[in-house]
Amino acid sequence: MESWPFFNQVTVDLTPLNSRKVAVKFDYFKIGGLIPFKAPDRFRGELDTTYLDEELRVSRGDLGNLFILKMIDPSYRVPV
């Protein structure tokens, strides 16, 4: 989930490939927090985690994108 000024969201299915890499299948997107749409089946990729601690995760996607994610609320759990 992105915060100000975009507020975009994405829902994905992650499948571990090894201790550092996951396969990513995108399920849903929500643009501006208002416009939801289902991701096409071809929206897939991989993430390789290069750094991880209790607050920060740094990953690189299979297309070279860099993702730096910060844990805002460690008590939050994704509803299943």
Side-chain angles (χ1 to χ4, degrees):
M1 181 183 299
E2 293 178 327
S3 59
W4 188 89
F6 303 108
F7 301 103
N8 296 322
Q9 298 176 16
V10 63
T11 303
V12 300
D13 182 32
L14 301 174
T15 303
L17 299 175
N18 61 40
S19 63
R20 290 182 38 168
K21 191 176 280 193
V22 294
V24 180
K25 180 187 175 298
F26 294 89
D27 294 326
Y28 290 94
F29 293 93
K30 190 179 274 189
I31 306 300
L34 300 172
I35 306 165
F37 69 93
K38 184 169 175 20
D41 284 338
R42 69 181 186 278
F43 280 36
R44 297 173 181 264
E46 292 181 357
L47 280 177
D48 184 22
T49 299
T50 56
Y51 178 81
L52 179 66
D53 68 20
E54 293 185 16
E55 290 187 353
L56 194 66
R57 180 174 72 205
V58 179
S59 300
R60 187 166 297 276
D62 58 329
L63 299 178
N65 298 332
L66 181 64
F67 299 92
I68 301 172
L69 305 171
K70 183 176 186 317
M71 175 69 73
I72 300 298
D73 180 359
S75 67
Y76 177 79
R77 296 294 178 258
V78 176
V80 183

